[in-house]
Amino acid sequence: MVDLDLEKFFDRVNHDKLMAQIAKRVEDKRLLKLIRAFLKAGVMENGLVSPSVEGTPQGGPLSPLLSKLVLDALDRELELRGHRYVRYADDSNIYVRKRAGQRVMKSVTRFITQQLKLKVNENKSAVARPQERKFLGFSFTSGPEIKRAIAPKALTRSKTESGRSRDRPRASASRTYMVGWRGYFGFCETPEVLIGLIRWVRLRLRCALWRQWKTPRRRRAALLELGVRTRLAANTAGSGRGPWYLARSKALSVGVSNAYFRSLGLPSLFENY
């Protein structure tokens, strides 16, 4: 796989060339004026607005669509060469035979540099097996049966985001985050990863509750209210173990069960689990 990344792509797009590309497809002058205003709106940093003379706002909802117009010539060139490829904004993967990888990398890089006047980021681009690279948070498994998988970095980032806070309101925040996460990464074909992640999220939320209760007395009262037997609640509340260890305890598994989280609206990432 030839994995291409364009260096500072969204920062270097020429406004005039981009508007010329758009004008070939759009006749509505009002829409053209609106897009031009979007490009010239500027960027606010520390309360000060800096003018935009080139580039499109990175992270802006319109930028990926505009990048499609800028890189339309690249798509046509790859199709003309008969390559199998996938591209989103400035990230492109071209699938070739092993021996053709370096040759295709050099020729496509030359086309991007000379014809599109853009620069390939050599540090982020590479020729490698698909299992060794990621694309939009996805990768592939090894073995005889190739499956779509979640890239390790995307999984690590999701744990960081879903477990950022330690307080109880995090349950509602986790619900919102996990619904969006499932909508995107539910496309993967490795359900064991989804099951493992939702288990991890539940443990983090149990830790948050345990910390919120603070004292043994409050912890015992909370466990009793959640239906935990008296002796088990007392033993767990008086334990000197840490929150992460006790998140796996029987008392918290019974009191703060999977059904409890479902009642709060926390979704399952995998059907029937």
Side-chain angles (χ1 to χ4, degrees):
M1 182 179 77
V2 178
D3 187 1
L4 288 168
D5 182 86
L6 300 184
E7 185 172 324
K8 296 182 179 179
F9 171 74
F10 289 102
D11 297 332
R12 294 181 173 176
V13 173
N14 183 281
H15 289 175
D16 293 332
K17 290 183 178 180
L18 174 58
M19 292 306 302
Q21 290 278 7
I22 299 173
K24 293 179 181 178
R25 297 166 172 80
V26 178
E27 296 181 357
D28 191 329
K29 301 296 184 181
R30 295 172 300 174
L31 180 56
L32 293 175
K33 185 177 180 180
L34 184 62
I35 295 175
R36 172 74 77 168
F38 170 81
L39 295 173
K40 298 290 186 182
V43 179
M44 179 175 287
E45 295 179 325
N46 299 322
L48 299 176
V49 178
S50 302
S52 300
V53 295
E54 64 178 356
T56 64
Q58 190 163 358
L62 191 58
S63 294
L65 179 60
L66 297 178
S67 71
K68 173 67 177 174
L69 295 175
V70 175
L71 296 174
D72 184 62
L74 174 61
D75 294 345
R76 299 291 171 258
E77 179 67 17
L78 296 178
E79 291 171 0
L80 185 64
R81 298 184 184 189
H83 288 314
R84 294 182 178 181
Y85 73 97
V86 58
R87 182 182 66 76
Y88 181 80
D90 57 334
D91 291 321
S92 303
N93 286 351
I94 308 170
Y95 301 96
V96 297
R97 294 186 181 276
K98 185 176 180 180
R99 294 183 179 180
Q102 293 296 341
R103 174 176 55 80
V104 172
M105 171 67 87
K106 291 180 181 179
S107 62
V108 174
T109 299
R110 189 183 311 115
F111 175 84
I112 292 173
T113 303
Q114 296 179 358
Q115 301 297 323
L116 302 181
K117 308 302 180 184
L118 297 170
K119 186 177 181 180
V120 173
N121 188 329
E122 296 182 359
N123 294 328
K124 293 185 178 181
S125 302
V127 177
R129 293 185 179 277
Q131 293 87 344
E132 299 171 4
R133 305 293 291 181
K134 65 180 180 68
F135 182 71
L136 302 180
F138 286 94
S139 185
F140 294 98
T141 60
S142 302
E145 187 178 359
I146 307 300
K147 295 181 179 180
R148 291 186 302 272
I150 302 170
K153 286 186 178 180
L155 192 61
T156 300
R157 186 166 56 249
S158 71
K159 288 184 176 181
T160 301
E161 290 296 327
S162 60
R164 188 178 296 277
S165 177
R166 295 184 174 185
D167 53 17
R168 185 166 186 175
R170 192 61 198 171
S172 60
S174 293
R175 179 179 67 244
T176 303
Y177 181 81
M178 298 309 289
V179 167
W181 201 89
R182 181 181 62 182
Y184 185 83
F185 286 105
F187 183 65
C188 81
E189 298 174 317
T190 51
E192 62 277 5
V193 176
L194 300 178
I195 292 172
L197 179 60
I198 193 60
R199 282 175 176 167
W200 186 91
V201 170
R202 288 168 182 155
L203 287 175
R204 287 289 302 184
L205 292 175
R206 288 182 183 122
C207 283
L209 284 172
W210 193 251
R211 290 190 179 98
Q212 185 187 22
W213 294 334
K214 294 183 179 179
T215 66
R217 183 178 178 180
R218 291 180 61 186
R219 287 168 176 170
R220 178 180 178 276
L223 290 174
L224 290 174
E225 186 177 349
L226 290 169
V228 179
R229 289 182 290 108
T230 304
R231 186 169 182 177
L232 180 59
N235 290 340
T236 306
S239 173
R241 298 280 189 172
W244 187 248
Y245 180 91
L246 291 174
R248 294 175 170 83
S249 68
K250 183 177 180 180
L252 284 172
S253 296
V254 171
V256 193
S257 62
N258 295 351
Y260 173 83
F261 287 123
R262 282 196 294 271
S263 70
L264 296 180
L266 187 70
S268 172
L269 295 178
F270 186 65
E271 189 176 358
N272 298 327
Y273 179 76

